[in-house]
Amino acid sequence: MKHPRFLDNPAPKQNTEQQNFSLAFLHQMINSISDPIFVKDRQHRWVLVNDTYCDFVGHSREELIGKSDDDFFPQAEADVLQQKDELIFTANITIENQDLFTDAEGIIHLISTKKSCFEDETGNKFLVGNIRDIILQNEAAKVLGVTGRVTDLTELVQKSEALRESLEESDRQAESDLQRTNALLQAQQEAAIDGILIIDENRKIISFNQKFSQLWQIPAAVFQTRDDRQLLGWVLDKLANPDEFLTKVEYLYQYPEESSRDEIFLKSGKIFDRYSAPVRKQQGASSETSPSGDYYGRIWYFRDITEYKQAEAELRASQQRLTLLVEQTPLAIIEWNTNFQVQTWNRAAERIFGYTKEEMLENPFEIIIPEKARTHVDEIVTALLTQQGGNLSINENLTKDGRTIVCEWYNNPLVAPDGQVIGVASMGSDITERKRAEEEQQKFVALIENSSDFIAIASMEREVIYVNPAGLKMVGLSSLEVAKTKSMIDFHSPEAFAELREQIIPLMSQHGFWQGEFRYRHFQTGIEIPTDCNLFIVKHPETGEPFCQVAVVRDITERKQAKEALLKSEAQLRQQAQDLKETLRELQRTQTHLIQSEKMSSLGQLVAGVAHEINNPVNFIYGNLSPAKEYTQDLLALLQLYQSHYPKPVPEIEDFAELIELDFLKSDLPQILNSMNVGADRIREIVLSLRTFSRLDEAGMKAVDIHQGIDSTLMILQSRLKGNDQRPTIEIIKEYGKLPLVQCYAGQLNQVFMNILSNAIDALEEGVGRNQFKIQNDAHGLANAALTKFKIVRAASRREEKDWGDEGDEGDKGNKQCPMPNTSTTLSTSAQCPMPNYQCPISTIRICTQLQKPNQVIIRIADNGLGIPEDTKKQLFNPFFTTKPIGKGTGMGLAISYQIIAERHGGSLECISQPGQGAEFVINIPLIQQTST
């Protein structure tokens, strides 16, 4: 027998004799294999197939034998198969590849096919192939679970011997058939994808193929012993769980009627599929032996399925990712059948249309189609179902709440292997807002296209992107294509471009825009055109980075000529133009500062106006309180005289005196006047603080009391310092040093105090925990409720004295002076928890001033808030930088403050902070300014 095992490893004579197997044995052998097996002759006709192959292609053995691929498969597919088979015949090679295969039911399979060419002893060539269904490989267990398909090897060997002896006397044709059968069996065993091992009933090795030796990497010496136990010992060393493997093997040898299929794991990480079945007497053969004598050994099949397992895992992961993609994509993914019934409805579809998956499944797709769009959608559907288009469409749709939206759809027909459309998969997105934006953009484009002004767009590299028709006409260009070949420099004379580069572009880069008169060059005549020019930089809405420059220009040639005719003096015109340019430059330089300072100026004017308006009636009230007090005392004295001289008034007077509680009125009226006097004094103090803060009467540099400015700012912020239902009262700790009057711009310095203190309050509000304060708030509520009840009871007995200082200023009433060396310290009472078991957070702002010789005043404002990260601290004083939500902060407060301190006062402003340790702002300004800034 021409088998590598017998050629490479000579064995005793009884094992080297040629084994001639019968056709029945060959059928039993290949039918015991779970994969489809087939053999073709040189004319590409099937001469041998196993049961699994018949089941796989859907045709019986009788239908297949003697036929070729042309008789069963589509012509194109059959031609490809025959071309590959012919290559194997002519080149005498083995090919293993993957193909798509259509079975009798029209189902397309992805199969792995291994084909080899073999010759029998007479020179006839045969192609032997086996197939592995990659997609349906797990179904193989159902096929391989059938037992008893391996025939009785010993009996067939004996019959083969008898057949060989009889064939010596038969004709050469019979001998040729038998030799061909043996060659086919040998070829089939070696061509198999599986590693095959046959063990007899005495646990001796009968046969194996090279695939088995390669899978387990077993030396030839082990096979020469023919001892299955030595082979088993070699295998166990390679297993991750040898005990389980050995237990299963011993069990199968103890119960020879059992078949088994399982997976085994090697230490190397490989996974083998193992199948074992008993070898028994051929069914229907006569035998006088007992049933136990029907068992002739066991056949083992091993297949390396490591890659298949990995592919399965990757396929499962891919399916999971696909499912997640479908569910998490922002596109609505909808599948519907040819009856318009929804089969798939993802989360995005639920969000866009408002219908849940349960509401839409098996319901008609027309639910989301408005009546006026039905005709258009029907045309799209017809095109999809006939595979004639409709892949991209835009149409109106309806939501569950009755809204009409515009959606963009990407549609794909779902086509079965037979070419029939079985449904449609659609991906849609709500583009309602985009359509509106496009409509607005179209209006804007139409406006630009029809504008009489020159409108042009250039890149930041000065390349021309767009010029509108009016602009092309103004500069004498024929088309936009011609304009795009020009650069910005070509639109101006050398002198004008030098002015543009050196003067205008730097200003535009600094401020974002430039306005003024400028000159453009006519390309045909070379004449300069005077224009009113508006240049500005467009920034990206998300990144803030500039990405193009826009020019809006109006030809003012006629206007200039008319103006020159009207002007009497060219010198006056130049001076006026120069004045306008200087004014424009000054406005541009101060624009950024005015954005924020205008707000503070308006606030100062409002505060000063309110203070002035309040001051007049308060002065009127305050001025009349003293005469009113004197008049009241005179009237009460007169009443006393009446009571002393007329102790017994008439009953009517007695009744009225009792009605108005005359005795209480005489004692309470002076107290009321005193309370009014106290209230008027308090209002005057508030008005004075407001005027001090606004400093409108001190716009220039002047020597002022810094402490008054800080106190007036705190007065303005008093409402934010008080506790509320979101946070406790903020404690202000003042550590004022002995400072002389400081020469400064008082109003601007107050603006700096306001910005820093407001930011400190924001930081403290952000850091207060709601849960902890809720406990404190509940406790304060209990205390306040008790106090309110007490006041009601007290008021019921008599009229309570009203004191303006008691209402809304509890924090100020609790202030106490804490003497410290060289400082005047004011400590406000912190929020005290009314219940001893609760711990309340204390938010504090510490303000410290000191004189540092020889000529420096230092003001420190610190809070115990959350602190500032290092990356944020680096950008604090940058214009427009803010960490606050949109609409709450402009990002200009600290930038303006830095400018006021550094530029206006020649000082410095810095921030010292670490996350979790609060923040401290240090202001350092000269006591006396050296020069006027």
Side-chain angles (χ1 to χ4, degrees):
M1 181 176 183
K2 295 180 181 179
H3 192 288
R5 180 169 71 91
F6 292 94
L7 295 175
D8 299 338
N9 305 300
K13 184 176 181 180
Q14 61 269 24
N15 294 325
T16 59
E17 293 178 359
Q18 183 178 12
Q19 297 180 358
N20 295 318
F21 300 107
S22 67
L23 188 60
F25 176 80
L26 181 59
H27 282 156
Q28 287 286 359
M29 199 69 156
I30 66 173
N31 283 334
S32 67
I33 298 175
S34 60
D35 291 330
I37 303 295
F38 63 93
V39 180
K40 295 181 180 179
D41 61 14
R42 191 61 183 83
Q43 286 72 40
H44 301 277
R45 296 172 301 194
W46 287 291
V47 297
L48 186 65
V49 294
N50 67 349
D51 293 339
T52 308
Y53 185 83
C54 294
D55 295 337
F56 183 72
V57 299
H59 297 284
S60 66
R61 182 177 287 103
E62 290 74 18
E63 293 176 304
L64 294 172
I65 298 301
K67 302 292 182 61
S68 67
D69 297 322
D70 293 328
D71 299 316
F72 296 95
F73 304 132
Q75 190 60 46
E77 192 172 308
D79 291 342
V80 172
L81 291 174
Q82 290 191 2
Q83 288 175 4
K84 292 182 179 180
D85 293 349
E86 186 63 27
L87 176 62
I88 295 171
F89 276 123
T90 56
N92 197 21
I93 59 175
T94 297
I95 294 179
E96 186 171 358
N97 53 22
Q98 294 182 353
D99 299 289
L100 290 177
F101 175 79
T102 305
D103 62 16
E105 297 179 359
I107 299 175
I108 297 177
H109 298 256
L110 178 61
I111 60 174
S112 176
T113 306
K114 182 177 181 181
K115 298 178 182 179
S116 302
C117 180
F118 290 92
E119 257 181 77
D120 63 10
E121 294 181 357
T122 61
N124 295 319
K125 286 188 176 183
F126 297 92
L127 185 147
V128 179
N130 60 342
I131 298 172
R132 166 62 62 93
D133 192 338
I134 296 177
I135 299 300
L136 303 177
Q137 60 176 308
N138 290 334
E139 296 296 320
K142 300 178 182 178
V143 178
L144 293 177
V146 180
T147 61
R149 291 190 295 178
V150 180
T151 190
D152 185 341
L153 182 61
T154 305
E155 181 182 359
L156 290 177
V157 170
Q158 295 171 353
K159 290 185 177 182
S160 178
E161 283 293 324
L163 181 61
R164 185 179 60 82
E165 294 175 357
S166 62
L167 286 177
E168 291 178 353
E169 300 174 358
S170 62
D171 61 285
R172 295 177 58 87
Q173 183 62 39
E175 182 178 0
S176 175
D177 292 341
L178 183 58
Q179 290 173 347
R180 182 171 64 178
T181 301
N182 291 331
L184 291 175
L185 178 60
Q186 176 186 345
Q188 182 274 327
Q189 183 172 334
E190 288 302 320
I193 297 176
D194 296 332
I196 301 174
L197 174 68
I198 303 175
I199 305 296
D200 67 11
E201 69 275 17
N202 298 317
R203 298 188 66 169
K204 295 295 183 180
I205 300 173
I206 295 298
S207 179
F208 67 92
N209 65 353
Q210 287 299 310
K211 187 66 174 180
F212 176 82
S213 176
Q214 293 169 2
L215 283 176
W216 291 102
Q217 298 180 353
I218 299 173
V222 176
F223 289 112
Q224 290 175 3
T225 65
R226 298 187 61 240
D227 188 350
D228 175 58
R229 290 175 177 81
Q230 291 193 27
L231 178 62
L232 187 61
W234 181 270
V235 168
L236 292 176
D237 288 338
K238 299 179 178 295
L239 299 175
N241 193 346
D243 293 338
E244 180 182 348
F245 183 91
L246 184 59
T247 301
K248 188 63 172 288
V249 170
E250 295 300 332
Y251 173 81
L252 291 174
Y253 281 129
Q254 291 177 16
Y255 298 92
E257 70 280 1
E258 294 284 342
S259 294
S260 171
R261 179 159 195 167
D262 60 358
E263 294 176 357
I264 54 179
F265 299 87
L266 279 64
K267 295 176 182 178
S268 62
K270 291 185 176 182
I271 304 173
F272 287 175
D273 179 43
R274 175 177 63 175
Y275 172 70
S276 178
V279 179
R280 294 188 173 277
K281 180 190 298 184
Q282 183 177 355
Q283 206 173 33
S286 60
S287 176
E288 298 179 357
T289 59
S290 62
S292 61
D294 294 345
Y295 176 73
Y296 299 118
R298 180 168 290 275
I299 186 168
W300 300 85
Y301 296 91
F302 296 91
R303 177 174 297 181
D304 186 349
I305 60 172
T306 307
E307 294 183 359
Y308 292 130
K309 284 294 182 180
Q310 293 173 349
E312 282 183 353
E314 292 175 359
L315 180 59
R316 285 194 298 270
S318 176
Q319 290 173 341
Q320 292 172 355
R321 289 194 296 269
L322 179 60
T323 302
L324 289 175
L325 177 63
V326 170
E327 288 302 319
Q328 296 179 9
T329 180
L331 296 175
I333 296 182
I334 303 170
E335 177 190 348
W336 40 280
N337 59 23
T338 54
N339 295 323
F340 283 87
Q341 293 172 324
V342 174
Q343 307 297 305
T344 300
W345 187 267
N346 71 340
R347 293 177 184 174
E350 293 181 342
R351 175 179 54 80
I352 293 174
F353 299 104
Y355 292 99
T356 65
K357 181 177 182 180
E358 291 73 16
E359 290 175 322
M360 288 301 295
L361 288 183
E362 300 301 333
N363 280 319
F365 184 69
E366 292 95 328
I367 290 177
I368 62 173
I369 308 299
E371 188 64 34
K372 60 181 180 180
R374 291 287 174 87
T375 302
H376 174 63
V377 173
D378 288 345
E379 293 174 355
I380 295 173
V381 170
T382 301
L384 287 169
L385 296 181
T386 57
Q387 303 183 52
Q388 296 179 359
N391 299 87
L392 175 62
S393 63
I394 296 176
N395 54 268
E396 291 183 345
N397 292 101
L398 286 177
T399 64
K400 185 177 180 179
D401 56 7
R403 292 182 296 110
T404 299
I405 61 176
V406 180
C407 291
E408 185 175 50
W409 294 97
Y410 297 89
N411 308 301
N412 284 292
L414 302 177
V415 183
D418 59 359
Q420 295 296 319
V421 177
I422 60 175
V424 174
S426 300
M427 293 185 294
S429 59
D430 184 356
I431 61 169
T432 307
E433 294 301 324
R434 192 184 83 189
K435 290 293 289 184
R436 292 174 182 170
E438 289 176 353
E439 292 174 358
E440 293 298 323
Q441 183 179 8
Q442 291 174 357
K443 295 177 183 177
F444 180 70
V445 171
L447 179 65
I448 293 176
E449 288 288 324
N450 294 282
S451 173
S452 59
D453 291 337
F454 172 102
I455 300 177
I457 302 174
S459 67
M460 298 305 297
E461 292 75 25
R462 302 176 185 175
E463 296 178 352
V464 176
I465 299 175
Y466 172 80
V467 180
N468 70 338
L472 296 173
K473 182 178 179 181
M474 187 186 88
V475 297
L477 292 174
S478 59
S479 66
L480 177 59
E481 288 70 22
V482 175
K484 287 182 178 181
T485 63
K486 309 296 182 182
S487 177
M488 283 180 59
I489 189 174
D490 299 326
F491 285 77
H492 309 281
S493 66
E495 297 78 12
F497 185 76
E499 180 182 349
L500 177 70
R501 183 183 65 247
E502 297 171 5
Q503 300 180 26
I504 297 176
I505 291 180
L507 290 174
M508 183 175 65
S509 300
Q510 179 182 358
H511 302 290
F513 72 95
W514 181 88
Q515 290 180 327
E517 292 186 7
F518 200 58
R519 305 174 302 281
Y520 279 76
R521 182 176 69 89
H522 194 281
F523 280 89
Q524 304 299 325
T525 63
I527 298 175
E528 287 192 319
I529 306 168
T531 65
D532 268 345
C533 188
N534 290 271
L535 306 176
F536 55 92
I537 294 175
V538 180
K539 296 183 178 180
H540 195 282
E542 295 181 359
T543 64
E545 294 294 326
F547 68 91
C548 72
Q549 307 172 66
V550 178
V552 179
V553 177
R554 177 167 294 179
D555 185 350
I556 59 171
T557 303
E558 294 181 0
R559 191 178 74 188
K560 292 283 289 184
Q561 292 172 352
K563 187 179 294 185
E564 289 174 358
L566 294 174
L567 293 177
K568 296 179 180 180
S569 173
E570 183 179 356
Q572 182 180 359
L573 176 62
R574 285 198 304 268
Q575 184 63 41
Q576 182 181 6
Q578 184 64 30
D579 292 343
L580 289 174
K581 288 182 179 180
E582 291 298 327
T583 302
L584 181 59
R585 292 192 183 100
E586 182 63 26
L587 288 174
Q588 291 169 344
R589 284 193 296 267
T590 58
Q591 182 184 25
T592 303
H593 177 72
L594 288 178
I595 293 174
Q596 185 71 11
S597 63
E598 181 65 22
K599 296 181 181 179
M600 295 306 299
S601 176
S602 299
L603 176 61
Q605 293 176 7
L606 176 63
V607 168
V610 171
H612 178 74
E613 293 300 325
I614 294 176
N615 195 45
N616 288 336
V618 168
N619 286 337
F620 173 78
I621 294 171
Y622 190 79
N624 286 285
L625 281 176
S626 294
K629 186 175 182 181
E630 294 175 1
Y631 298 157
T632 301
Q633 291 174 349
D634 292 341
L635 290 174
L636 291 176
L638 177 62
L639 180 61
Q640 186 68 28
L641 287 174
Y642 268 102
Q643 288 180 333
S644 63
H645 291 287
Y646 299 99
K648 295 294 184 181
V650 296
E652 183 178 0
I653 294 176
E654 288 183 347
D655 293 342
F656 186 74
E658 182 179 356
L659 178 64
I660 66 174
E661 299 181 15
L662 181 60
D663 292 336
F664 175 73
L665 187 149
K666 290 190 297 181
S667 63
D668 194 44
L669 182 57
Q671 296 180 17
I672 291 176
L673 292 173
N674 287 335
S675 297
M676 294 172 63
N677 191 56
V678 172
D681 284 338
R682 184 62 180 275
I683 293 175
R684 293 181 68 190
E685 291 175 1
I686 294 174
V687 170
L688 180 59
S689 296
L690 293 174
R691 297 189 62 184
T692 301
F693 174 78
S694 63
R695 295 284 186 179
L696 290 179
D697 54 345
E698 300 176 7
M701 182 169 289
K702 184 178 180 181
V704 298
D705 185 350
I706 292 293
H707 295 156
Q708 286 186 0
I710 296 174
D711 291 341
S712 66
T713 304
L714 291 173
M715 175 66 72
I716 299 298
L717 295 172
Q718 187 65 34
S719 62
R720 294 196 63 192
L721 296 172
K722 295 178 182 179
N724 53 38
D725 59 348
Q726 299 297 321
R727 57 162 178 76
T729 298
I730 297 175
E731 179 179 345
I732 302 298
I733 301 175
K734 302 177 183 177
E735 298 178 353
Y736 289 169
K738 292 184 179 181
L739 298 180
L741 298 180
V742 179
Q743 191 177 33
C744 64
Y745 293 99
Q748 295 183 13
L749 204 57
N750 288 345
Q751 180 180 348
V752 174
F753 297 152
M754 173 67 76
N755 288 334
I756 296 176
L757 287 170
S758 296
N759 286 343
I761 295 172
D762 291 340
L764 291 172
E765 288 178 344
E766 183 179 356
V768 172
R770 289 181 178 268
N771 293 335
Q772 187 176 9
F773 178 68
K774 185 177 185 300
I775 297 175
Q776 176 188 352
N777 192 48
D778 293 343
H780 278 297
L782 294 174
N784 291 334
L787 179 60
T788 302
K789 184 174 182 182
F790 171 75
K791 289 183 177 181
I792 293 173
V793 173
R794 180 183 176 192
S797 62
R798 68 176 182 83
R799 291 191 181 92
E800 183 184 5
E801 176 180 308
K802 305 297 182 180
D803 186 354
W804 284 40
D806 292 340
E807 182 179 354
D809 294 306
E810 292 82 352
D812 292 340
K813 289 180 65 180
N815 286 354
K816 56 182 180 179
Q817 298 298 324
C818 296
M820 296 183 64
N822 299 326
T823 62
S824 175
T825 306
T826 301
L827 299 174
S828 67
T829 56
S830 60
Q832 299 297 325
C833 288
M835 302 183 68
N837 292 331
Y838 295 153
Q839 181 179 0
C840 301
I842 300 177
S843 300
T844 61
I845 297 177
R846 183 182 300 272
I847 307 173
C848 175
T849 63
Q850 66 182 103
L851 178 62
Q852 191 176 52
K853 294 182 180 181
N855 185 35
Q856 293 296 319
V857 175
I858 297 178
I859 305 158
R860 300 175 181 270
I861 302 176
D863 64 73
N864 63 343
L866 297 176
I868 304 173
E870 186 64 28
D871 56 343
T872 302
K873 190 168 63 176
K874 293 178 181 178
Q875 307 179 67
L876 276 181
F877 303 114
N878 292 343
F880 306 111
F881 174 77
T882 180
T883 59
K884 298 177 182 178
I886 296 175
K888 189 173 181 181
T890 63
M892 293 296 296
L894 289 177
I896 295 298
S897 299
Y898 186 87
Q899 184 180 13
I900 290 172
I901 297 300
E903 298 180 10
R904 300 288 287 172
H905 291 84
S908 64
L909 174 61
E910 63 176 325
C911 174
I912 302 172
S913 178
Q914 291 183 1
Q917 299 184 14
E920 181 182 33
F921 286 83
V922 181
I923 303 171
N924 191 334
I925 60 174
L927 178 65
I928 300 174
Q929 298 289 330
Q930 299 298 326
T931 58
S932 179
T933 57

